[in-house]
Amino acid sequence: MLVDIAVPRNVAEDCKKIPNVQAYNVDDLKAIVANNTAMRQKEMIEAEERANNFREEELKKCTCKLANSNLSDKELKAVERLSHGIVNKLLHGPMAHLRKSESVEQNQAAVKELSSMFRLEDEDTPNGRSRRL
């Protein structure tokens, strides 16, 4: 395995044609970093979307229950802002942890931990229905 991080390059492109030789240069490494960054960003967006969907479902339930208590639109908006604030505070730490992950392995481990911690995978509820967060 040859890793050429020099600029200009020290290892010729045609060395990749030699059997059993793997050669990487700065551009290859940049592509890997960009791919890992994009993957991490995608996972963070998915986690935020799941959390927001869950928040909206719970807010609908709460709003239905509060509808009979004659709350004003202003008070209902306050409840919605409160739910946004709670979700944002809960997500801040895990998202910061994901942003710090430097390698693919660390990122995958962090995603697995957070998925388990927040039960983001499909699971069955006690009444037998499937629940997706």
Side-chain angles (χ1 to χ4, degrees), residues 2-18:
L2 302 172
V3 180
D4 183 4
I5 59 171
V7 177
R9 294 186 179 135
N10 289 331
V11 178
E13 261 319 291
D14 59 352
C15 72
K16 293 179 180 182
K17 297 176 184 174
I18 300 171

Side-chain angles (χ1 to χ4, degrees), residues 40-49 95 98-99:
R40 218 178 342 200
Q41 185 67 27
K42 180 183 172 219
E43 289 166 346
M44 287 188 288
I45 289 169
E46 287 175 2
E48 288 172 344
E49 286 174 352
M95 292 301 166
L98 273 178
R99 286 184 190 101

Side-chain angles (χ1 to χ4, degrees), residues 70-81:
N70 298 324
L71 292 177
S72 69
D73 285 343
K74 184 178 179 181
E75 292 167 325
L76 289 173
K77 290 285 185 195
V79 171
E80 185 173 357
R81 283 193 308 274

Side-chain angles (χ1 to χ4, degrees), residues 58-73 75-76 79:
E58 294 302 314
L59 184 61
K60 282 180 186 176
K61 290 178 192 175
C62 176
T63 304
C64 288
K65 291 177 182 176
L66 292 174
N68 296 333
S69 62
N70 298 324
L71 292 177
S72 69
D73 285 343
E75 292 167 325
L76 289 173
V79 171

Side-chain angles (χ1 to χ4, degrees), residues 3 17 20 34 38 57 99 103 106 115:
V3 180
K17 297 176 184 174
N20 299 321
E57 289 174 13
R99 286 184 190 101
S103 70
Q106 287 178 335
S115 182

